[in-house]
Every structure is written in structure tokens, then in C-alpha cells.
Amino acid sequence: MDVLAKANNSLKQWEEKQNRKSVAITINGLSLPTRSPMTALDSTPVAVCLLEELKPFSQQVFQVHQRQVLLVRRGKVLHALDAICYHMGGPLQTGKIVDIEDIDEQRVHCREAIVCPWHSYRITLDTGEGWYRAGSGHWKSKGFRQRVHHVRVVKSETDNEKHVVWVTLSSGKFLPSDEYCNRKDISDPLS
């Protein structure tokens, strides 16, 4: 059994002790969400990969419960967000990472964003905000559009040389990316 399988197995054992269950529904091979995207998502952490498997500046899509999640590694920092763009379902996995720089009175803001390859929408990696360049040339936020998720790196229990990357889905009020998170007919970065 590999490190990730052992990590997820340990979590399942813990859930059983806590009387928690991870429920998924599959009908005719199609995975369906067990909860509406407007309510709480399954908050059980999932071990998605080993940190050592991710190159320092890379992007990779993982299935976390019923959602496709894009894991972005920027040096030592990891970000997780819905893998499908909030605007019209473009595959963010192939998006380019850029800096959004703006001067706000007394300070300079610089944030990393992913650019959707379909319509060049910019989405910040850390907050999921959509950004556009206003007529004045300054960057303006459209507000939170893309759901971001929690990432945690933990030393492997079976191999101290390896580090397991865990993703926990975030929940909260409805965001535009929730509309596309489960739609296989729009874009499927995993296929």
C-alpha cells in the first residue's frame, strides 16, 4: 500500500471512531454531489498527492470528493481552488500564472492570479477574487468568484522523508464557480 493510500486509510479509521461517514453517490458511472453546492461541502480532508511529486512551479487537477480541484504550487506555497473557471467553465489547469499589481494610495499590492485560457479572466490564487483592469488602468476586484480550498502538508506517518498534501473543501455562500464544479459536459481537466 502506498503512502497516500495509507494516509487516506488512517483518516477513514479515524472517521469510523468519530462516527463520521463520507458519502458519495455514483449512478451509471457518474459521480453526483450528495449536497447542494449552496450548502456545506464534505469537509473530510483528502490526501491528494505527495509534495515531492509536485514540481515547484506546477499545476495539477485532483478529484476531492465530488469536486475537481486545481492544486497550484508556487515554490513552497500551495493553493487549491476549483479547477473550472467561474465564468464559462474553462479549464484553469492550462491557465498562466501572472502578477496583478496595483498601487493603492500608500502601498503597492501584488497578488498572483491564474488567467483562464478561454476568456482571460484573472482569478487570485489566495482568495478566488475575479479581477479586471478598469478604464483608469488600475486593477479592480469583482469580488469572490472562484471557491478556494484549504491545503495542508503533513509529514508521512510511514516515511519521514515524504510529505502528504491534504485538501479540505471549503464551504459557505454560493459562489459562481459552484455552478461549474461538477459539470462534466463543460470541461473535464481529469480526462
Side-chain angles (χ1 to χ4, degrees):
M1 189 182 284
D2 70 350
V3 175
L4 289 180
K6 286 181 183 179
N8 278 314
N9 193 34
S10 295
L11 179 66
K12 286 179 186 170
Q13 290 172 355
W14 176 83
E15 287 175 335
E16 288 169 5
K17 288 179 186 175
Q18 303 296 319
N19 254 349
R20 293 182 63 186
K21 293 182 180 179
S22 297
V23 179
I25 298 173
T26 304
I27 300 174
N28 295 331
L30 179 64
S31 180
L32 299 174
T34 56
R35 297 176 176 95
S36 164
M38 296 172 88
T39 61
L41 299 173
D42 192 331
S43 62
T44 307
V46 174
V48 295
C49 67
L50 295 175
L51 181 64
E52 294 76 15
E53 296 172 346
L54 294 173
K55 294 178 183 171
F57 293 90
S58 63
Q59 298 158 197
Q60 192 169 341
V61 175
F62 296 95
Q63 190 77 26
V64 178
H65 300 294
Q66 70 275 9
R67 288 178 101 91
Q68 294 178 24
V69 174
L70 178 64
L71 189 62
V72 179
R73 183 172 180 188
R74 304 298 293 162
K76 293 182 179 182
V77 179
L78 293 173
H79 301 278
L81 60 155
D82 283 347
I84 300 173
C85 181
Y86 73 87
H87 174 235
M88 290 185 70
L92 293 179
Q93 180 181 13
T94 58
K96 182 179 172 183
I97 305 296
V98 298
D99 287 330
I100 295 177
E101 197 171 288
D102 195 20
I103 299 171
D104 177 15
E105 295 180 13
Q106 299 174 341
R107 53 186 177 187
V108 175
H109 300 278
C110 188
R111 320 248 320 258
E112 286 188 312
I114 191 162
V115 180
C116 179
W118 283 8
H119 301 104
S120 299
Y121 276 54
R122 286 170 165 71
I123 304 161
T124 54
L125 297 175
D126 59 343
T127 64
E129 286 177 272
W131 287 80
Y132 69 98
R133 193 179 293 274
S136 64
H138 292 336
W139 287 102
K140 301 285 183 185
S141 173
K142 297 178 187 178
F144 302 107
R145 298 286 189 255
Q146 196 78 15
R147 188 165 302 284
V148 295
H149 305 287
H150 309 286
V151 183
R152 188 173 50 135
V153 178
V154 178
K155 200 174 259 193
S156 169
E157 293 177 7
T158 58
D159 185 347
N160 285 334
E161 306 270 324
K162 306 221 183 252
H163 299 82
V164 180
V165 178
W166 293 84
V167 174
T168 305
L169 297 177
S170 67
S171 59
K173 69 176 188 169
F174 181 84
L175 292 175
S177 70
D178 293 333
E179 183 72 30
Y180 293 99
C181 70
N182 300 316
R183 296 207 32 204
K184 300 278 185 189
D185 60 318
I186 300 287
S187 169
D188 189 357
L190 293 174
S191 64

